Amino acid sequence: MSSNYFLPQPSNLEPEQHAAWARRQYVADCAVTFLATKTNPLDSAVLAHLQDYVAGAATLGQAIGRIVDHVAQESQPFGSLQAS
């Protein structure tokens, strides 16, 4: 399974590693699809955190935490947020 957002699987993976990579890539692709529906465009930092998850270098929780931290740092200060 190929992705428009993430690096391809290494060719030297064992079958169980291949299946785990494909599952993580599917989850990450779903996350990209969801995030793309929001007003903020995806940036390279978000994709890099998801790539770490796909490659098995981070758990999904770690990747999400890093994305949340990144988005929080990029957002406006709390004092300038307007109530909706």
Side-chain angles (χ1 to χ4, degrees):
M1 178 168 109
S2 66
S3 171
N4 293 331
Y5 304 103
F6 304 110
L7 298 174
Q9 295 184 17
S11 59
N12 61 343
L13 294 180
E14 298 293 326
E16 60 276 352
Q17 293 171 313
H18 172 77
W21 181 292
R23 181 184 49 79
R24 291 189 303 265
Q25 183 175 306
Y26 173 76
V27 170
D29 279 333
C30 289
V32 167
T33 300
F34 171 77
L35 292 170
T37 65
K38 302 302 169 191
T39 57
N40 295 331
L42 293 177
D43 63 25
S44 60
V46 171
L47 292 175
H49 294 311
L50 288 172
Q51 178 63 55
D52 286 345
Y53 166 67
V54 170
T59 66
L60 182 57
Q62 289 169 327
I64 291 171
R66 292 171 187 164
I67 291 168
V68 169
D69 287 345
H70 172 73
V71 170
Q73 290 173 1
E74 296 294 315
S75 296
Q76 298 175 353
F78 287 113
S80 66
L81 292 178
Q82 297 178 359
S84 42

